[in-house]
Each structure stands twice: as C-alpha cells, then as structure tokens.
Amino acid sequence: MLIARRADTRARADFATWKMMAKLNGSSALPPEAQDFLVSYKNLLAQTNEGDASEATIGAIYKAYYAEMGGAGTPPDVRPRATESAADNVTAFRRPEPKPKKASFFGAGTSGGAQKRPLPVALIFACLVVVYVGIRLYWR
C-alpha cells in the first residue's frame, strides 16, 4: 500500500506539472513518456470532460509508476473516484491573524491599554550631555 500511495502522489504531481508545461508551450522539453501521456490525455479530452480525462490519465500514469516502483499485480485503488473538477481542489488564501503586540519599552504599554509614549528627544540629549560633561570632568 505504501508503494501505491507513493505512485499515486507522484502520478498526480507529475501530471499537474506536465499539464502546466503544456499550457506554457514547454511540452517539447518533457521526456517522451510524458509526451505520450499528454497525447493520450488530449485524445481523452476530445471524448469526455476534463475531470474524467484527467482521472483516466492519472490512473494510467499511476499504473506505470506502480509497476516501476516494484508493485506486484494490479495496483490497488488509493483514492475514491472524484466527481468534482480539479479546480475545486483549491484552498482560498486567508491572511493570518495579527500577532498580539509585545510589551512596550519600560512597561508603558501594560497599564490599561494606554498608548506607548516615546522617550522625548530632549531627555535623551540631556542625558548624553550629562554623561559627556561627567567624563570630561573625570579626566581633568
């Protein structure tokens, strides 16, 4: 069953990649077996809808990968047959929730939701002047 799951996952991923490359006109760079699967997909697409053609092609790729990975006999069914189209398998993007604000400097933001007050520039400048004068007096 492990081989079957790996083969199915690889088949679905490879088919999606090959299909995208074909849409971007890059199918000539694909290996010959991939091009053969895409040709069979296009033939099936002419006969059935996109979902059924995709599932049938993925099934054929899955069988080939199952045999290639050392699976014996007929490959087991890994997934139930999907009746929805491939586009329904898309998850909408949601923004992550905002992170809670960290505690502010000197604990000013912790008191009842008060807004953080910045340290005045004049106070910083005054402290620097005091430190400078103290150092100059100490060296004399």
mmCIF file of all heavy atoms in Angstrom, residues 16-66:
data_model
loop_
_atom_site.group_PDB
_atom_site.id
_atom_site.type_symbol
_atom_site.label_atom_id
_atom_site.label_comp_id
_atom_site.label_asym_id
_atom_site.label_seq_id
_atom_site.Cartn_x
_atom_site.Cartn_y
_atom_site.Cartn_z
ATOM 1 N N ALA A 16 0.162 17.121 -13.087
ATOM 2 C CA ALA A 16 -0.091 18.558 -12.941
ATOM 3 C C ALA A 16 1.069 19.374 -13.524
ATOM 4 O O ALA A 16 0.852 20.385 -14.204
ATOM 5 C CB ALA A 16 -0.292 18.911 -11.471
ATOM 6 N N THR A 17 2.291 18.911 -13.288
ATOM 7 C CA THR A 17 3.462 19.606 -13.836
ATOM 8 C C THR A 17 3.472 19.537 -15.350
ATOM 9 O O THR A 17 3.705 20.548 -16.035
ATOM 10 C CB THR A 17 4.749 18.983 -13.269
ATOM 11 O OG1 THR A 17 4.703 19.033 -11.852
ATOM 12 C CG2 THR A 17 5.981 19.722 -13.771
ATOM 13 N N TRP A 18 3.233 18.359 -15.897
ATOM 14 C CA TRP A 18 3.246 18.193 -17.352
ATOM 15 C C TRP A 18 2.148 19.019 -18.007
ATOM 16 O O TRP A 18 2.353 19.628 -19.053
ATOM 17 C CB TRP A 18 3.058 16.726 -17.721
ATOM 18 C CG TRP A 18 4.146 15.815 -17.238
ATOM 19 C CD1 TRP A 18 5.403 16.165 -16.836
ATOM 20 C CD2 TRP A 18 4.048 14.404 -17.081
ATOM 21 N NE1 TRP A 18 6.098 15.049 -16.440
ATOM 22 C CE2 TRP A 18 5.299 13.954 -16.577
ATOM 23 C CE3 TRP A 18 3.050 13.476 -17.305
ATOM 24 C CZ2 TRP A 18 5.557 12.619 -16.327
ATOM 25 C CZ3 TRP A 18 3.312 12.139 -17.049
ATOM 26 C CH2 TRP A 18 4.561 11.723 -16.567
ATOM 27 N N LYS A 19 0.994 19.033 -17.372
ATOM 28 C CA LYS A 19 -0.130 19.793 -17.923
ATOM 29 C C LYS A 19 0.186 21.292 -17.940
ATOM 30 O O LYS A 19 -0.107 21.988 -18.914
ATOM 31 C CB LYS A 19 -1.377 19.507 -17.072
ATOM 32 C CG LYS A 19 -2.667 19.942 -17.676
ATOM 33 C CD LYS A 19 -3.801 19.423 -16.809
ATOM 34 C CE LYS A 19 -5.092 20.096 -17.112
ATOM 35 N NZ LYS A 19 -6.165 19.691 -16.216
ATOM 36 N N MET A 20 0.823 21.787 -16.871
ATOM 37 C CA MET A 20 1.192 23.195 -16.804
ATOM 38 C C MET A 20 2.262 23.520 -17.847
ATOM 39 O O MET A 20 2.209 24.563 -18.500
ATOM 40 C CB MET A 20 1.689 23.559 -15.406
ATOM 41 C CG MET A 20 1.959 25.031 -15.220
ATOM 42 S SD MET A 20 0.553 26.113 -15.571
ATOM 43 C CE MET A 20 -0.590 25.601 -14.334
ATOM 44 N N MET A 21 3.215 22.622 -18.015
ATOM 45 C CA MET A 21 4.251 22.862 -19.021
ATOM 46 C C MET A 21 3.650 22.868 -20.428
ATOM 47 O O MET A 21 4.086 23.633 -21.283
ATOM 48 C CB MET A 21 5.358 21.817 -18.906
ATOM 49 C CG MET A 21 6.253 22.055 -17.698
ATOM 50 S SD MET A 21 7.687 21.003 -17.655
ATOM 51 C CE MET A 21 8.646 21.669 -18.996
ATOM 52 N N ALA A 22 2.656 22.028 -20.653
ATOM 53 C CA ALA A 22 2.000 22.011 -21.957
ATOM 54 C C ALA A 22 1.255 23.326 -22.188
ATOM 55 O O ALA A 22 1.245 23.851 -23.307
ATOM 56 C CB ALA A 22 1.041 20.829 -22.050
ATOM 57 N N LYS A 23 0.644 23.880 -21.147
ATOM 58 C CA LYS A 23 -0.049 25.158 -21.285
ATOM 59 C C LYS A 23 0.932 26.289 -21.567
ATOM 60 O O LYS A 23 0.598 27.268 -22.218
ATOM 61 C CB LYS A 23 -0.845 25.481 -20.017
ATOM 62 C CG LYS A 23 -2.112 24.689 -19.889
ATOM 63 C CD LYS A 23 -2.862 25.095 -18.642
ATOM 64 C CE LYS A 23 -4.129 24.277 -18.488
ATOM 65 N NZ LYS A 23 -4.870 24.632 -17.273
ATOM 66 N N LEU A 24 2.159 26.172 -21.047
ATOM 67 C CA LEU A 24 3.179 27.201 -21.243
ATOM 68 C C LEU A 24 4.046 26.936 -22.476
ATOM 69 O O LEU A 24 5.110 27.523 -22.624
ATOM 70 C CB LEU A 24 4.068 27.293 -19.997
ATOM 71 C CG LEU A 24 3.366 27.710 -18.719
ATOM 72 C CD1 LEU A 24 4.315 27.607 -17.536
ATOM 73 C CD2 LEU A 24 2.816 29.113 -18.842
ATOM 74 N N ASN A 25 3.596 26.033 -23.341
ATOM 75 C CA ASN A 25 4.299 25.663 -24.574
ATOM 76 C C ASN A 25 5.699 25.127 -24.296
ATOM 77 O O ASN A 25 6.635 25.386 -25.039
ATOM 78 C CB ASN A 25 4.377 26.855 -25.536
ATOM 79 C CG ASN A 25 3.030 27.257 -26.054
ATOM 80 O OD1 ASN A 25 2.154 26.406 -26.215
ATOM 81 N ND2 ASN A 25 2.838 28.533 -26.288
ATOM 82 N N GLY A 26 5.847 24.368 -23.239
ATOM 83 C CA GLY A 26 7.126 23.771 -22.903
ATOM 84 C C GLY A 26 7.089 22.264 -22.951
ATOM 85 O O GLY A 26 7.935 21.597 -22.366
ATOM 86 N N SER A 27 6.117 21.696 -23.647
ATOM 87 C CA SER A 27 5.972 20.246 -23.656
ATOM 88 C C SER A 27 7.080 19.553 -24.443
ATOM 89 O O SER A 27 7.310 18.363 -24.265
ATOM 90 C CB SER A 27 4.602 19.849 -24.210
ATOM 91 O OG SER A 27 4.459 20.335 -25.525
ATOM 92 N N SER A 28 7.790 20.292 -25.304
ATOM 93 C CA SER A 28 8.877 19.669 -26.060
ATOM 94 C C SER A 28 10.052 19.326 -25.149
ATOM 95 O O SER A 28 10.872 18.476 -25.489
ATOM 96 C CB SER A 28 9.339 20.598 -27.185
ATOM 97 O OG SER A 28 9.830 21.808 -26.638
ATOM 98 N N ALA A 29 10.143 19.946 -23.990
ATOM 99 C CA ALA A 29 11.226 19.670 -23.049
ATOM 100 C C ALA A 29 10.910 18.471 -22.155
ATOM 101 O O ALA A 29 11.771 18.031 -21.395
ATOM 102 C CB ALA A 29 11.489 20.895 -22.182
ATOM 103 N N LEU A 30 9.703 17.951 -22.236
ATOM 104 C CA LEU A 30 9.306 16.823 -21.397
ATOM 105 C C LEU A 30 9.883 15.520 -21.941
ATOM 106 O O LEU A 30 10.147 15.400 -23.134
ATOM 107 C CB LEU A 30 7.780 16.719 -21.351
ATOM 108 C CG LEU A 30 7.044 17.849 -20.638
ATOM 109 C CD1 LEU A 30 5.545 17.698 -20.826
ATOM 110 C CD2 LEU A 30 7.389 17.856 -19.167
ATOM 111 N N PRO A 31 10.054 14.524 -21.072
ATOM 112 C CA PRO A 31 10.515 13.211 -21.558
ATOM 113 C C PRO A 31 9.464 12.580 -22.475
ATOM 114 O O PRO A 31 8.278 12.933 -22.416
ATOM 115 C CB PRO A 31 10.701 12.399 -20.280
ATOM 116 C CG PRO A 31 10.078 13.163 -19.190
ATOM 117 C CD PRO A 31 9.913 14.575 -19.636
ATOM 118 N N PRO A 32 9.890 11.645 -23.322
ATOM 119 C CA PRO A 32 8.944 11.042 -24.283
ATOM 120 C C PRO A 32 7.729 10.379 -23.635
ATOM 121 O O PRO A 32 6.621 10.466 -24.166
ATOM 122 C CB PRO A 32 9.798 9.995 -25.016
ATOM 123 C CG PRO A 32 11.207 10.386 -24.774
ATOM 124 C CD PRO A 32 11.246 11.166 -23.501
ATOM 125 N N GLU A 33 7.921 9.709 -22.491
ATOM 126 C CA GLU A 33 6.765 9.064 -21.850
ATOM 127 C C GLU A 33 5.748 10.104 -21.389
ATOM 128 O O GLU A 33 4.548 9.884 -21.464
ATOM 129 C CB GLU A 33 7.205 8.187 -20.687
ATOM 130 C CG GLU A 33 7.806 8.946 -19.527
ATOM 131 C CD GLU A 33 8.179 8.058 -18.363
ATOM 132 O OE1 GLU A 33 8.226 6.827 -18.538
ATOM 133 O OE2 GLU A 33 8.409 8.598 -17.272
ATOM 134 N N ALA A 34 6.225 11.268 -20.928
ATOM 135 C CA ALA A 34 5.321 12.335 -20.512
ATOM 136 C C ALA A 34 4.562 12.874 -21.716
ATOM 137 O O ALA A 34 3.359 13.153 -21.624
ATOM 138 C CB ALA A 34 6.097 13.456 -19.829
ATOM 139 N N GLN A 35 5.245 13.022 -22.833
ATOM 140 C CA GLN A 35 4.571 13.494 -24.042
ATOM 141 C C GLN A 35 3.515 12.494 -24.503
ATOM 142 O O GLN A 35 2.438 12.890 -24.958
ATOM 143 C CB GLN A 35 5.599 13.756 -25.139
ATOM 144 C CG GLN A 35 6.503 14.928 -24.829
ATOM 145 C CD GLN A 35 7.572 15.144 -25.881
ATOM 146 O OE1 GLN A 35 7.625 14.443 -26.888
ATOM 147 N NE2 GLN A 35 8.442 16.131 -25.646
ATOM 148 N N ASP A 36 3.811 11.201 -24.359
ATOM 149 C CA ASP A 36 2.817 10.173 -24.721
ATOM 150 C C ASP A 36 1.579 10.268 -23.829
ATOM 151 O O ASP A 36 0.441 10.162 -24.315
ATOM 152 C CB ASP A 36 3.426 8.774 -24.613
ATOM 153 C CG ASP A 36 4.514 8.532 -25.649
ATOM 154 O OD1 ASP A 36 4.534 9.255 -26.680
ATOM 155 O OD2 ASP A 36 5.336 7.617 -25.431
ATOM 156 N N PHE A 37 1.787 10.461 -22.530
ATOM 157 C CA PHE A 37 0.649 10.596 -21.623
ATOM 158 C C PHE A 37 -0.165 11.846 -21.942
ATOM 159 O O PHE A 37 -1.391 11.829 -21.866
ATOM 160 C CB PHE A 37 1.108 10.617 -20.167
ATOM 161 C CG PHE A 37 1.456 9.265 -19.612
ATOM 162 C CD1 PHE A 37 2.722 9.012 -19.107
ATOM 163 C CD2 PHE A 37 0.526 8.237 -19.583
ATOM 164 C CE1 PHE A 37 3.044 7.777 -18.586
ATOM 165 C CE2 PHE A 37 0.834 6.996 -19.060
ATOM 166 C CZ PHE A 37 2.107 6.758 -18.570
ATOM 167 N N LEU A 38 0.507 12.932 -22.318
ATOM 168 C CA LEU A 38 -0.223 14.158 -22.659
ATOM 169 C C LEU A 38 -1.019 13.985 -23.954
ATOM 170 O O LEU A 38 -2.127 14.514 -24.073
ATOM 171 C CB LEU A 38 0.744 15.339 -22.778
ATOM 172 C CG LEU A 38 1.233 15.913 -21.454
ATOM 173 C CD1 LEU A 38 2.246 17.018 -21.695
ATOM 174 C CD2 LEU A 38 0.089 16.445 -20.631
ATOM 175 N N VAL A 39 -0.480 13.245 -24.905
ATOM 176 C CA VAL A 39 -1.224 12.981 -26.149
ATOM 177 C C VAL A 39 -2.469 12.152 -25.833
ATOM 178 O O VAL A 39 -3.559 12.443 -26.339
ATOM 179 C CB VAL A 39 -0.309 12.275 -27.183
ATOM 180 C CG1 VAL A 39 -1.117 11.718 -28.336
ATOM 181 C CG2 VAL A 39 0.753 13.235 -27.680
ATOM 182 N N SER A 40 -2.308 11.133 -24.972
ATOM 183 C CA SER A 40 -3.486 10.320 -24.614
ATOM 184 C C SER A 40 -4.496 11.155 -23.831
ATOM 185 O O SER A 40 -5.709 10.975 -23.978
ATOM 186 C CB SER A 40 -3.066 9.086 -23.811
ATOM 187 O OG SER A 40 -2.576 9.458 -22.546
ATOM 188 N N TYR A 41 -4.008 12.102 -23.016
ATOM 189 C CA TYR A 41 -4.912 12.999 -22.286
ATOM 190 C C TYR A 41 -5.710 13.867 -23.263
ATOM 191 O O TYR A 41 -6.917 14.037 -23.108
ATOM 192 C CB TYR A 41 -4.109 13.875 -21.320
ATOM 193 C CG TYR A 41 -4.901 15.017 -20.731
ATOM 194 C CD1 TYR A 41 -5.905 14.789 -19.798
ATOM 195 C CD2 TYR A 41 -4.658 16.331 -21.111
ATOM 196 C CE1 TYR A 41 -6.635 15.830 -19.257
ATOM 197 C CE2 TYR A 41 -5.373 17.384 -20.570
ATOM 198 C CZ TYR A 41 -6.359 17.131 -19.648
ATOM 199 O OH TYR A 41 -7.079 18.154 -19.125
ATOM 200 N N LYS A 42 -5.028 14.409 -24.267
ATOM 201 C CA LYS A 42 -5.731 15.240 -25.249
ATOM 202 C C LYS A 42 -6.750 14.433 -26.034
ATOM 203 O O LYS A 42 -7.834 14.938 -26.356
ATOM 204 C CB LYS A 42 -4.719 15.903 -26.188
ATOM 205 C CG LYS A 42 -3.925 16.998 -25.501
ATOM 206 C CD LYS A 42 -2.911 17.638 -26.427
ATOM 207 C CE LYS A 42 -2.080 18.661 -25.674
ATOM 208 N NZ LYS A 42 -1.018 19.240 -26.516
ATOM 209 N N ASN A 43 -6.432 13.178 -26.341
ATOM 210 C CA ASN A 43 -7.395 12.313 -27.030
ATOM 211 C C ASN A 43 -8.612 12.031 -26.148
ATOM 212 O O ASN A 43 -9.753 12.041 -26.622
ATOM 213 C CB ASN A 43 -6.731 11.001 -27.450
ATOM 214 C CG ASN A 43 -5.701 11.205 -28.539
ATOM 215 O OD1 ASN A 43 -5.742 12.203 -29.269
ATOM 216 N ND2 ASN A 43 -4.761 10.286 -28.648
ATOM 217 N N LEU A 44 -8.365 11.767 -24.873
ATOM 218 C CA LEU A 44 -9.482 11.545 -23.946
ATOM 219 C C LEU A 44 -10.299 12.812 -23.735
ATOM 220 O O LEU A 44 -11.518 12.759 -23.553
ATOM 221 C CB LEU A 44 -8.959 11.057 -22.590
ATOM 222 C CG LEU A 44 -8.504 9.603 -22.519
ATOM 223 C CD1 LEU A 44 -7.821 9.322 -21.181
ATOM 224 C CD2 LEU A 44 -9.687 8.674 -22.702
ATOM 225 N N LEU A 45 -9.622 13.949 -23.758
ATOM 226 C CA LEU A 45 -10.299 15.223 -23.552
ATOM 227 C C LEU A 45 -11.287 15.508 -24.685
ATOM 228 O O LEU A 45 -12.330 16.133 -24.469
ATOM 229 C CB LEU A 45 -9.268 16.350 -23.449
ATOM 230 C CG LEU A 45 -9.715 17.673 -22.862
ATOM 231 C CD1 LEU A 45 -10.318 17.477 -21.489
ATOM 232 C CD2 LEU A 45 -8.545 18.631 -22.781
ATOM 233 N N ALA A 46 -10.974 15.034 -25.872
ATOM 234 C CA ALA A 46 -11.881 15.211 -27.002
ATOM 235 C C ALA A 46 -13.138 14.358 -26.846
ATOM 236 O O ALA A 46 -14.191 14.692 -27.387
ATOM 237 C CB ALA A 46 -11.165 14.852 -28.300
ATOM 238 N N GLN A 47 -13.034 13.267 -26.073
ATOM 239 C CA GLN A 47 -14.163 12.347 -25.925
ATOM 240 C C GLN A 47 -14.978 12.599 -24.655
ATOM 241 O O GLN A 47 -16.188 12.379 -24.647
ATOM 242 C CB GLN A 47 -13.662 10.901 -25.906
ATOM 243 C CG GLN A 47 -12.959 10.500 -27.189
ATOM 244 C CD GLN A 47 -12.250 9.165 -27.038
ATOM 245 O OE1 GLN A 47 -12.313 8.531 -25.997
ATOM 246 N NE2 GLN A 47 -11.561 8.759 -28.085
ATOM 247 N N THR A 48 -14.307 13.019 -23.573
ATOM 248 C CA THR A 48 -15.002 13.203 -22.300
ATOM 249 C C THR A 48 -14.699 14.587 -21.732
ATOM 250 O O THR A 48 -13.984 15.372 -22.350
ATOM 251 C CB THR A 48 -14.554 12.139 -21.267
ATOM 252 O OG1 THR A 48 -13.157 12.298 -21.021
ATOM 253 C CG2 THR A 48 -14.828 10.733 -21.748
ATOM 254 N N ASN A 49 -15.221 14.839 -20.540
ATOM 255 C CA ASN A 49 -14.953 16.127 -19.906
ATOM 256 C C ASN A 49 -13.555 16.136 -19.282
ATOM 257 O O ASN A 49 -12.878 15.114 -19.205
ATOM 258 C CB ASN A 49 -16.026 16.477 -18.879
ATOM 259 C CG ASN A 49 -16.066 15.503 -17.718
ATOM 260 O OD1 ASN A 49 -15.227 14.629 -17.584
ATOM 261 N ND2 ASN A 49 -17.064 15.676 -16.870
ATOM 262 N N GLU A 50 -13.144 17.297 -18.794
ATOM 263 C CA GLU A 50 -11.776 17.466 -18.293
ATOM 264 C C GLU A 50 -11.495 16.614 -17.053
ATOM 265 O O GLU A 50 -10.417 16.024 -16.926
ATOM 266 C CB GLU A 50 -11.509 18.935 -17.977
ATOM 267 C CG GLU A 50 -10.091 19.211 -17.554
ATOM 268 C CD GLU A 50 -9.824 20.674 -17.267
ATOM 269 O OE1 GLU A 50 -10.727 21.500 -17.474
ATOM 270 O OE2 GLU A 50 -8.705 20.972 -16.831
ATOM 271 N N GLY A 51 -12.435 16.548 -16.145
ATOM 272 C CA GLY A 51 -12.233 15.782 -14.916
ATOM 273 C C GLY A 51 -12.026 14.297 -15.176
ATOM 274 O O GLY A 51 -11.120 13.674 -14.623
ATOM 275 N N ASP A 52 -12.879 13.735 -16.041
ATOM 276 C CA ASP A 52 -12.757 12.312 -16.350
ATOM 277 C C ASP A 52 -11.480 12.020 -17.127
ATOM 278 O O ASP A 52 -10.814 11.006 -16.896
ATOM 279 C CB ASP A 52 -13.966 11.841 -17.161
ATOM 280 C CG ASP A 52 -15.237 11.832 -16.323
ATOM 281 O OD1 ASP A 52 -15.130 11.774 -15.078
ATOM 282 O OD2 ASP A 52 -16.336 11.887 -16.916
ATOM 283 N N ALA A 53 -11.125 12.910 -18.055
ATOM 284 C CA ALA A 53 -9.900 12.714 -18.832
ATOM 285 C C ALA A 53 -8.674 12.800 -17.922
ATOM 286 O O ALA A 53 -7.729 12.011 -18.058
ATOM 287 C CB ALA A 53 -9.806 13.757 -19.946
ATOM 288 N N SER A 54 -8.689 13.741 -16.988
ATOM 289 C CA SER A 54 -7.573 13.880 -16.047
ATOM 290 C C SER A 54 -7.440 12.634 -15.180
ATOM 291 O O SER A 54 -6.337 12.108 -15.002
ATOM 292 C CB SER A 54 -7.762 15.099 -15.152
ATOM 293 O OG SER A 54 -7.704 16.271 -15.897
ATOM 294 N N GLU A 55 -8.545 12.160 -14.625
ATOM 295 C CA GLU A 55 -8.506 10.980 -13.755
ATOM 296 C C GLU A 55 -8.058 9.736 -14.513
ATOM 297 O O GLU A 55 -7.299 8.921 -13.980
ATOM 298 C CB GLU A 55 -9.864 10.739 -13.101
ATOM 299 C CG GLU A 55 -10.165 11.681 -11.957
ATOM 300 C CD GLU A 55 -9.177 11.583 -10.816
ATOM 301 O OE1 GLU A 55 -8.759 10.459 -10.440
ATOM 302 O OE2 GLU A 55 -8.788 12.633 -10.287
ATOM 303 N N ALA A 56 -8.521 9.593 -15.756
ATOM 304 C CA ALA A 56 -8.110 8.428 -16.549
ATOM 305 C C ALA A 56 -6.620 8.483 -16.860
ATOM 306 O O ALA A 56 -5.915 7.469 -16.778
ATOM 307 C CB ALA A 56 -8.913 8.369 -17.842
ATOM 308 N N THR A 57 -6.113 9.662 -17.180
ATOM 309 C CA THR A 57 -4.683 9.809 -17.476
ATOM 310 C C THR A 57 -3.855 9.590 -16.221
ATOM 311 O O THR A 57 -2.821 8.922 -16.255
ATOM 312 C CB THR A 57 -4.402 11.198 -18.064
ATOM 313 O OG1 THR A 57 -5.247 11.397 -19.196
ATOM 314 C CG2 THR A 57 -2.958 11.320 -18.498
ATOM 315 N N ILE A 58 -4.302 10.145 -15.096
ATOM 316 C CA ILE A 58 -3.583 9.936 -13.828
ATOM 317 C C ILE A 58 -3.589 8.451 -13.473
ATOM 318 O O ILE A 58 -2.596 7.919 -12.980
ATOM 319 C CB ILE A 58 -4.197 10.793 -12.700
ATOM 320 C CG1 ILE A 58 -3.881 12.267 -12.944
ATOM 321 C CG2 ILE A 58 -3.691 10.366 -11.334
ATOM 322 C CD1 ILE A 58 -4.603 13.226 -12.019
ATOM 323 N N GLY A 59 -4.690 7.772 -13.745
ATOM 324 C CA GLY A 59 -4.760 6.331 -13.496
ATOM 325 C C GLY A 59 -3.744 5.565 -14.324
ATOM 326 O O GLY A 59 -3.089 4.638 -13.834
ATOM 327 N N ALA A 60 -3.581 5.950 -15.588
ATOM 328 C CA ALA A 60 -2.599 5.285 -16.447
ATOM 329 C C ALA A 60 -1.171 5.569 -15.957
ATOM 330 O O ALA A 60 -0.329 4.666 -15.921
ATOM 331 C CB ALA A 60 -2.769 5.754 -17.889
ATOM 332 N N ILE A 61 -0.916 6.802 -15.567
ATOM 333 C CA ILE A 61 0.410 7.153 -15.047
ATOM 334 C C ILE A 61 0.659 6.398 -13.741
ATOM 335 O O ILE A 61 1.761 5.888 -13.505
ATOM 336 C CB ILE A 61 0.518 8.678 -14.823
ATOM 337 C CG1 ILE A 61 0.359 9.435 -16.138
ATOM 338 C CG2 ILE A 61 1.843 9.042 -14.178
ATOM 339 C CD1 ILE A 61 0.192 10.945 -15.965
ATOM 340 N N TYR A 62 -0.363 6.315 -12.904
ATOM 341 C CA TYR A 62 -0.268 5.607 -11.621
ATOM 342 C C TYR A 62 0.093 4.144 -11.834
ATOM 343 O O TYR A 62 0.966 3.600 -11.152
ATOM 344 C CB TYR A 62 -1.588 5.765 -10.868
ATOM 345 C CG TYR A 62 -1.805 4.801 -9.730
ATOM 346 C CD1 TYR A 62 -0.968 4.794 -8.624
ATOM 347 C CD2 TYR A 62 -2.875 3.915 -9.738
ATOM 348 C CE1 TYR A 62 -1.181 3.926 -7.572
ATOM 349 C CE2 TYR A 62 -3.097 3.049 -8.701
ATOM 350 C CZ TYR A 62 -2.242 3.048 -7.615
ATOM 351 O OH TYR A 62 -2.457 2.188 -6.576
ATOM 352 N N LYS A 63 -0.548 3.495 -12.792
ATOM 353 C CA LYS A 63 -0.245 2.086 -13.069
ATOM 354 C C LYS A 63 1.197 1.913 -13.537
ATOM 355 O O LYS A 63 1.891 0.979 -13.130
ATOM 356 C CB LYS A 63 -1.215 1.536 -14.115
ATOM 357 C CG LYS A 63 -2.610 1.343 -13.583
ATOM 358 C CD LYS A 63 -3.563 0.874 -14.656
ATOM 359 C CE LYS A 63 -4.978 0.802 -14.096
ATOM 360 N NZ LYS A 63 -5.963 0.471 -15.123
ATOM 361 N N ALA A 64 1.660 2.837 -14.381
ATOM 362 C CA ALA A 64 3.037 2.763 -14.860
ATOM 363 C C ALA A 64 4.026 2.972 -13.709
ATOM 364 O O ALA A 64 5.025 2.252 -13.593
ATOM 365 C CB ALA A 64 3.265 3.799 -15.951
ATOM 366 N N TYR A 65 3.760 3.941 -12.846
ATOM 367 C CA TYR A 65 4.652 4.203 -11.713
ATOM 368 C C TYR A 65 4.612 3.064 -10.701
ATOM 369 O O TYR A 65 5.623 2.740 -10.091
ATOM 370 C CB TYR A 65 4.281 5.515 -11.030
ATOM 371 C CG TYR A 65 4.735 6.749 -11.767
ATOM 372 C CD1 TYR A 65 4.306 8.001 -11.383
ATOM 373 C CD2 TYR A 65 5.598 6.684 -12.846
ATOM 374 C CE1 TYR A 65 4.724 9.151 -12.042
ATOM 375 C CE2 TYR A 65 6.019 7.814 -13.512
ATOM 376 C CZ TYR A 65 5.574 9.040 -13.103
ATOM 377 O OH TYR A 65 5.995 10.167 -13.754
ATOM 378 N N TYR A 66 3.443 2.477 -10.506
ATOM 379 C CA TYR A 66 3.313 1.369 -9.557
ATOM 380 C C TYR A 66 4.187 0.200 -9.993
ATOM 381 O O TYR A 66 4.912 -0.382 -9.186
ATOM 382 C CB TYR A 66 1.843 0.947 -9.455
ATOM 383 C CG TYR A 66 1.582 -0.144 -8.438
ATOM 384 C CD1 TYR A 66 1.558 0.144 -7.078
ATOM 385 C CD2 TYR A 66 1.353 -1.454 -8.829
ATOM 386 C CE1 TYR A 66 1.313 -0.842 -6.134
ATOM 387 C CE2 TYR A 66 1.105 -2.452 -7.899
ATOM 388 C CZ TYR A 66 1.089 -2.139 -6.556
ATOM 389 O OH TYR A 66 0.855 -3.125 -5.618
#
